[in-house]
Amino acid sequence: MHPKSDALLLAPEIFATDGGIARILRLYLKALCETAGTESRVHLVALNDSLVDSTELRKYSTSRLADWRVCGRSKRDFITTTLRMGRQVDRVVCGHVAQLPVAWAASKLNSRMEYYLVAHGIEVWRPFTLLERRALKGARRIFCVSDYTRQQLLGHCPLPEGRAVVLPNALDPHLAPKVVRPASETAPIILSISRLSIADGYKGINHLIAAIPEVLEAIPEARLRIVGRGDGLVRLQAQVAKLKIGKAVQFTGFRSDQELNEDLDSCRIFALPSRKEGFGLVYLEAMAHGRPCLGARSGGVPEVITPGTGELIEYGDVHAISTALIAGLRRKWDIKAILDRAAEFSYLRFKGRLASLLLE
């Protein structure tokens, strides 16, 4: 980044949740701070956060972070703060397309400022409003987490060649396991991590549960552990009860980062047969623990899971899920190949790529 280039990161949330978007935007903040010149400053505005833990903030920033504001879900506060801070900076990195019109408006008040968008997935797999299209066309560059997401965005809003580029998500260095336990040493536990809301039914947790009876016929000691919470939990619990597999399925609810590391360390395979993953950061987090992954051949997932690191099935094919799980639980995986794949998405590579794209 230019030594005198000030930047502003806009985020729907950054510490308020542990979802994929919040996780990757923490790394954007970290990278912007670490690549800022000695005379540069970084600013942060988060819409949904009500407060920021100083310990967490220090983990993902440096002394280059000059100012930050959390807006407690107040859109008015978010807009006025962005317009004010936007006058002081040379570039704005917008963490969600819903906030892009605000970045576009800020650019009208500061002629030297350029703005960028991070495109995560389903939020850009759709037709855009007139204002969104205008804002997209004014962006200096759009960072798409996968080529699938890039193609979907361009299909709804054609842009000049090179405007939309692929910048994959990265692993959080703070969450990297210190020791990787071989999967062969673990019990036949299938782990899934997902929001369990009714609106997120596309995650395929119901299909995963439906596959368990067939898995149990082949591997009676197999267990499914589901991490997450949401208003769809009761429906999923009812499905488990109807299938009479309650002894084999555990719903853990919310888990801290340390507990998630323990879950990944103790499972043999990770599974999330989702239909609408723009990238699937959680697959990488599993691979960093040397765990193979099961995913659907849909969205950006095939750009993450390779034949040596997991299994891909057609979305909604319950028999294919059970067959893949049985094979995956029995297979002796090459842990080095899985770890090498995860390393391709390291934070250092992400930081270097981002810095290069911001300089172009």
Side-chain angles (χ1 to χ4, degrees):
M1 196 177 297
H2 190 277
K4 292 185 179 180
S5 179
D6 291 346
L8 167 61
L9 175 64
L10 303 181
E13 57 254 332
I14 195 158
F15 296 108
T17 72
D18 280 314
I21 291 178
R23 283 183 182 273
I24 192 60
L25 291 181
R26 292 171 204 167
L27 297 191
Y28 269 89
L29 176 62
K30 181 176 172 67
L32 288 171
C33 287
E34 290 179 357
T35 58
T38 56
E39 298 179 34
S40 298
R41 297 176 301 171
V42 176
H43 306 260
L44 167 68
V45 184
L47 171 61
N48 293 330
D49 294 64
S50 298
L51 53 87
V52 174
D53 183 278
S54 60
T55 302
E56 285 295 297
L57 189 61
R58 282 195 294 271
K59 283 169 58 178
Y60 295 96
S61 64
T62 70
S63 60
R64 300 274 72 78
L65 182 62
D67 193 11
W68 64 91
R69 184 175 181 89
V70 292
C71 302
R73 298 186 177 275
S74 169
K75 292 182 179 180
R76 180 176 182 179
D77 191 11
F78 178 83
I79 292 170
T80 56
T81 302
T82 298
L83 295 179
R84 174 176 58 79
M85 289 190 180
R87 293 177 180 272
Q88 310 168 39
V89 302
D90 304 288
R91 56 170 57 95
V92 171
V93 177
C94 188
H96 195 282
V97 69
Q99 299 172 340
L100 196 63
V102 185
W104 172 79
S107 72
K108 300 304 175 186
L109 301 176
N110 180 355
S111 59
R112 78 175 188 278
M113 186 263 279
E114 295 179 324
Y115 62 91
Y116 303 74
L117 171 68
V118 184
H120 304 277
I122 59 174
E123 84 281 4
V124 297
W125 301 357
R126 59 170 176 80
F128 297 104
T129 66
L130 181 62
L131 182 56
E132 287 173 335
R133 289 174 67 87
R134 180 175 295 175
L136 283 165
K137 290 180 181 294
R140 175 71 181 85
R141 188 152 278 154
I142 299 167
F143 305 134
C144 303
V145 299
S146 63
D147 189 58
Y148 182 88
T149 291
R150 187 180 75 89
Q151 296 291 349
Q152 288 292 309
L153 183 147
L154 292 174
H156 292 293
C157 183
L159 296 169
E161 184 70 25
R163 184 74 59 84
V165 298
V166 177
L167 177 57
N169 286 343
L171 287 161
D172 188 329
H174 295 298
L175 302 179
K178 293 180 174 61
V179 178
V180 175
R181 179 185 180 191
S184 59
E185 296 180 2
T186 67
I189 295 173
I190 304 156
L191 178 68
S192 192
I193 302 171
S194 174
R195 294 186 301 273
L196 303 182
S197 64
I198 294 173
D200 292 320
Y202 64 83
K203 295 286 187 178
I205 300 300
N206 58 327
H207 300 143
L208 187 57
I209 291 171
I212 295 304
E214 190 173 345
V215 173
L216 292 173
E217 287 182 13
I219 308 175
E221 65 274 24
R223 296 293 182 266
L224 172 62
R225 181 175 295 158
I226 300 171
V227 176
R229 54 188 175 183
D231 59 4
L233 175 60
V234 173
R235 182 181 297 181
L236 294 172
Q237 289 173 326
Q239 181 187 5
V240 168
K242 184 176 181 180
L243 292 172
K244 298 180 180 179
I245 54 174
K247 291 183 179 180
V249 180
Q250 176 192 16
F251 293 94
T252 71
F254 172 78
R255 302 282 278 173
S256 67
D257 285 341
Q258 181 179 343
E259 290 170 327
L260 285 175
N261 274 329
E262 293 169 358
D263 289 335
L264 287 165
D265 186 59
S266 62
C267 77
R268 190 175 295 179
I269 190 169
F270 177 83
L272 184 65
S274 174
R275 182 165 57 93
K276 295 182 180 180
E277 297 301 307
F279 180 83
L281 183 60
V282 69
Y283 302 114
L284 278 189
E285 292 171 344
M287 289 181 196
H289 286 259
R291 298 300 178 257
C293 298
L294 180 143
R297 194 175 288 105
S298 182
V301 177
E303 297 175 48
V304 181
I305 300 176
T306 60
T309 61
E311 300 278 355
L312 292 172
I313 51 88
E314 296 303 319
Y315 176 77
D317 188 334
V318 173
H319 177 65
I321 293 172
S322 59
T323 300
L325 287 174
I326 293 166
L329 288 169
R330 288 174 170 170
R331 177 174 169 179
K332 186 175 181 179
W333 294 88
D334 182 348
I335 191 170
K336 183 179 184 302
I338 296 174
L339 294 174
D340 286 348
R341 179 60 174 164
E344 293 178 26
F345 299 91
S346 70
Y347 166 71
L348 288 178
R349 288 193 180 190
F350 165 81
K351 181 173 72 170
R353 174 74 169 145
L354 175 62
S356 176
L357 288 170
L358 290 173
L359 281 173
E360 289 180 4

